[in-house]
């Protein structure tokens, strides 16, 4: 995916689109395709990962870049003449925590450039109209921002609706998506280009298919298209049609297709829970019966033990009411996410057991620091330190199996770890702790 667009590194053409989009949220923008010029395509190429997986043509970023100017010129010429054709997507499956497998589409390098350029342009067009409740895949916003926003409203609500859309990106109705795009875009040449990136074949092993619904996960274009779709299917509907009809305030927090809604009373929550499946059904989406739940989540009185409240999961955290002095909402790493992190560390140690110790240290350091960067937040100290505790023991055990003659004692390991120190979690304070 391309980096967020800033006004300092964009072309004059894109800057003009951004200005028009900000000035009038209702304006249908015309003459947009010309923004996808050689400058934007080249900049998008340089933002691709060097180690990204290759598509069906097997061309790497390095190989494409050997004659970059000629390749970009050829690509731009085909796009202007409407002769550009998206190559089939290579589909692979990656394991999910629940044992299922998530399909992931891998495009060719040239198609990644087109997708990334389109994503940059669509972000400039839609960023001004997206609502504050949306946090996923938006410039200047992160998962931590969504977590903080949810924490800020938990003291104001008493019920939480935890939602889960089944196979969201694979269920998007393409005709409906194009209809929603036309509300903001009045340029058929640009829409045809988006359509070419949507209506593309999938190569899975030796099997070729042409799905009629969905957007390919792994495409740089999918996140922004997914945001556009749920903006109209959920965000705008909830803010403009639902909230004004409720008895008490309600708040939606959404990160991509993960969303929770806080309500001030159960009657409002029940009404929305009845209406939401019908609303999403109009867009070809379906709520999971197993993972969509309504939870009582209210600040306990001082003379209560908090057992009347449930817990819920959002963005990798389990949310609960706890008391460390006074009642407050706390988060902790979901058990499944902690287990997955430890399993990944154990698998890394097993595969790299006989590699140099310094090389192992760098790999473990990257994995632990990546986990800490997200999960080491206010109140979540125990789970992140627990991860470090078990990761240390997994590594020590793995090193002990390198030789049958002498195992790795704790004395030797501790001496080694002084020189090759594993990172320690530093908690990021997203909100102030309870004062009482």
């Amino acid at each position: 995916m391309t980096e967020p667009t800033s006004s300092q590194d964009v072309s004059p053409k894109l800057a003009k689109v951004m200005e028009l989009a900000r000035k009038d949220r209702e304006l249908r923008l015309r003459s947009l395709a010309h923004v996808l010029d050689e400058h934007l395509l080249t900049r998008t190429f340089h933002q691709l990962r060097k180690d990204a997986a290759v598509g069906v043509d097997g061309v790497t970023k390095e190989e494409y870049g050997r004659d970059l100017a000629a390749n970009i010129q050829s690509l731009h010429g085909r796009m202007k003449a409407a002769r550009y054709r998206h190559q089939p997507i290579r589909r692979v499956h990656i394991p999910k925590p629940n044992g299922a497998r998530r399909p992931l589409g891998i495009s060719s390098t040239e198609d990644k450039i087109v997708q990334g350029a389109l994503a940059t342009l669509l972000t400039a067009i839609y960023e001004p109209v997206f609502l504050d409740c949306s946090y996923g895949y938006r410039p200047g916003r992160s998962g931590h921002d969504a977590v903080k926003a949810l924490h800020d409203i938990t003291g104001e609500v008493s019920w939480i609706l935890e939602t889960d859309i089944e196979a969201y990106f694979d269920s998007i109705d393409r005709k409906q998506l194009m209809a929603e795009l036309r509300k903001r875009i009045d340029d058929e040449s640009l829409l045809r280009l988006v359509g070419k990136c949507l209506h593309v074949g999938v190569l899975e092993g030796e099997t070729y298919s042409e799905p009629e619904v969905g957007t390919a996960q792994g495409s740089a274009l999918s996140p922004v298209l997914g945001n556009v779709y749920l903006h109209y299917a959920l965000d705008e509907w909830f803010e403009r049609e639902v909230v004004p009809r409720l008895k008490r305030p309600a708040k939606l927090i959404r990160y991509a297709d993960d969303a929770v809604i806080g309500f001030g009373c159960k009657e409002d929550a029940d009404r929305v829970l009845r209406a939401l499946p019908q609303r999403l059904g109009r867009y070809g989406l379906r709520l999971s019966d197993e993972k969509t739940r309504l939870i009582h989540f209210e600040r306990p009185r001082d003379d209560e033990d908090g057992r009347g409240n449930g817990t819920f999961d959002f963005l990798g955290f389990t949310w609960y009411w706890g008391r460390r002095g006074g009642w407050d909402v706390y988060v902790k790493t979901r058990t499944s996410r902690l287990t997955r992190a430890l399993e990944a560390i154990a698998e890394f140690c097993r595969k790299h057991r006989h590699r140099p110790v310094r090389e192992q240290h760098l790999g473990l350091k990257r994995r632990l620091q990546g986990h800490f960067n997200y999960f080491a937040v206010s109140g979540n100290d125990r789970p992140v330190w627990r991860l470090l505790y078990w990761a240390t023991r997994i590594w020590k055990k793995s090193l002990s199996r390198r030789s049958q003659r002498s195992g790795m004692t704790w004395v030797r390991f501790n001496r080694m770890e002084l020189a090759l120190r594993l990172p320690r979690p530093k908690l990021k304070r997203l909100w102030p702790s309870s004062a009482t």
Side-chain angles (χ1 to χ4, degrees):
M1 185 176 176
T2 58
E3 294 295 325
T5 302
S6 69
S7 58
Q8 298 178 347
D9 60 356
V10 300
S11 66
K13 298 177 184 178
L14 184 58
K16 184 177 180 180
V17 171
M18 295 171 66
E19 182 182 359
L20 290 172
R22 282 195 296 261
K23 283 184 177 180
D24 190 348
R25 292 163 53 95
E26 305 297 328
L27 178 67
R28 293 187 71 212
L29 299 168
R30 300 179 179 179
S31 186
L32 294 170
H34 74 285
V35 178
L36 303 174
D37 55 15
E38 293 184 23
H39 168 79
L40 180 56
L41 295 174
T42 302
R43 188 166 67 88
T44 304
F45 166 81
H46 289 298
Q47 292 171 344
L48 298 179
R49 288 176 48 190
K50 295 181 180 180
D51 58 346
V54 298
V56 294
D57 60 0
V59 176
T60 65
K61 177 183 178 180
E62 181 182 0
E63 292 169 339
Y64 191 90
R66 288 172 185 167
D67 196 3
L68 181 60
N71 287 332
I72 292 294
Q73 186 178 32
S74 172
L75 172 60
H76 184 244
R78 281 178 280 131
M79 291 170 63
K80 287 182 63 177
R83 291 187 292 105
Y84 165 74
R85 294 292 181 270
H86 197 296
Q87 297 186 63
I89 291 175
R90 182 169 67 90
R91 175 172 286 175
V92 297
H93 293 268
I94 58 176
K96 297 174 64 176
N98 59 6
R101 300 181 72 82
R102 183 191 305 275
L104 185 68
I106 302 175
S107 303
S108 68
T109 298
E110 185 169 84
D111 295 330
K112 290 175 184 176
I113 296 172
V114 176
Q115 294 167 10
L118 278 172
T120 298
L121 177 55
L122 291 178
T123 297
I125 295 170
Y126 280 96
E127 186 60 25
V129 303
F130 287 152
L131 302 181
D132 287 341
C133 63
S134 169
Y135 290 87
Y137 306 112
R138 294 182 59 185
R141 293 189 165 213
S142 67
H144 281 171
D145 294 323
V147 169
K148 183 180 184 303
L150 178 56
H151 187 274
D152 289 345
I153 69 164
T154 49
E156 306 169 6
V157 302
S158 53
W159 294 86
I160 293 288
L161 177 58
E162 180 185 5
T163 68
D164 182 85
I165 301 176
E166 292 184 347
Y168 171 63
F169 287 99
D170 293 331
S171 303
I172 292 176
D173 186 315
R174 294 173 181 172
K175 290 183 179 179
Q176 183 71 39
L177 172 60
M178 298 304 291
E180 303 300 346
L181 289 173
R182 284 187 171 89
K183 293 179 179 179
R184 185 71 167 156
I185 298 174
D186 187 14
D187 186 334
E188 289 301 319
S189 59
L190 178 66
L191 292 173
R192 280 195 299 270
L193 185 59
V194 173
K196 289 180 180 180
C197 294
L198 283 174
H199 300 278
V200 61
V202 175
L203 189 63
E204 190 169 352
E206 297 182 354
T207 304
Y208 178 81
S209 62
E210 295 184 355
E212 297 181 356
V213 296
T215 64
Q217 295 189 59
S219 163
L221 196 55
S222 288
V224 65
L225 291 179
N227 268 342
V228 170
Y229 203 63
L230 278 182
H231 168 76
Y232 292 108
L234 179 60
D235 302 354
E236 196 174 63
W237 168 76
F238 182 79
E239 293 292 338
R240 296 185 180 180
E241 299 185 30
V242 175
V243 171
R245 293 179 169 86
L246 299 179
K247 292 184 175 181
R248 298 186 61 182
K251 184 69 176 179
L252 166 69
I253 305 291
R254 180 176 68 81
Y255 188 96
D257 58 323
D258 292 328
V260 294
I261 308 176
F263 296 93
C265 66
K266 189 173 186 298
E267 182 179 349
D268 288 342
D270 287 334
R271 289 178 60 191
V272 173
L273 184 55
R274 289 192 298 267
L276 188 57
Q278 300 175 16
R279 173 65 183 183
L280 294 180
R282 292 175 52 185
Y283 288 79
L285 305 176
R286 175 184 171 83
L287 285 176
S288 169
D289 294 332
E290 295 180 358
K291 298 181 180 179
T292 300
R293 303 181 302 138
L294 184 60
I295 302 107
H296 182 232
F297 200 77
E298 187 175 18
R299 182 185 182 91
R301 295 194 303 267
D302 290 339
D303 58 346
E304 295 178 335
D305 58 9
R307 294 181 183 179
N309 283 310
T311 64
F312 67 94
D313 297 325
F314 184 61
L315 295 185
F317 293 102
T318 297
W319 298 68
Y320 65 98
W321 278 100
R323 183 156 54 182
R324 301 180 186 178
W327 286 107
D328 201 356
V329 173
Y330 292 94
V331 297
K332 62 180 180 180
T333 309
R334 287 182 60 181
T335 301
S336 60
R337 295 295 294 269
L338 187 59
T339 301
R340 181 169 55 175
L342 286 171
E343 288 176 347
I345 288 172
E347 180 69 8
F348 172 83
C349 289
R350 185 185 66 81
K351 288 185 175 181
H352 297 80
R353 181 179 300 156
H354 296 291
R355 302 295 299 172
V357 174
R358 290 187 178 275
E359 182 179 318
Q360 295 184 42
H361 171 255
L362 288 175
L364 288 171
K365 184 178 179 180
R366 285 194 298 267
R367 284 160 176 78
L368 285 171
Q369 194 60 60
H371 185 94
F372 295 157
N373 287 345
Y374 181 73
F375 285 102
V377 300
S378 314
N380 194 37
D381 47 337
R382 292 180 181 178
V384 292
W385 280 102
R386 188 179 302 128
L387 176 68
L388 177 62
Y389 173 87
W390 286 110
T392 301
R393 276 148 182 78
I394 290 170
W395 191 25
K396 187 261 182 188
K397 184 176 181 180
S398 176
L399 293 175
S400 296
R401 293 181 173 179
R402 284 161 61 100
S403 172
Q404 295 181 350
R405 295 182 178 179
S406 60
M408 172 66 73
T409 65
W410 277 110
V411 173
R412 288 179 57 197
F413 181 84
N414 290 334
R415 189 184 305 121
M416 178 202 72
E417 215 256 341
L418 287 175
L420 302 175
R421 188 175 177 83
L422 293 176
R424 268 52 176 171
K426 297 180 180 179
L427 296 185
K428 180 179 180 181
R429 187 164 298 281
L430 297 181
W431 50 78
S433 59
S434 177
T436 57

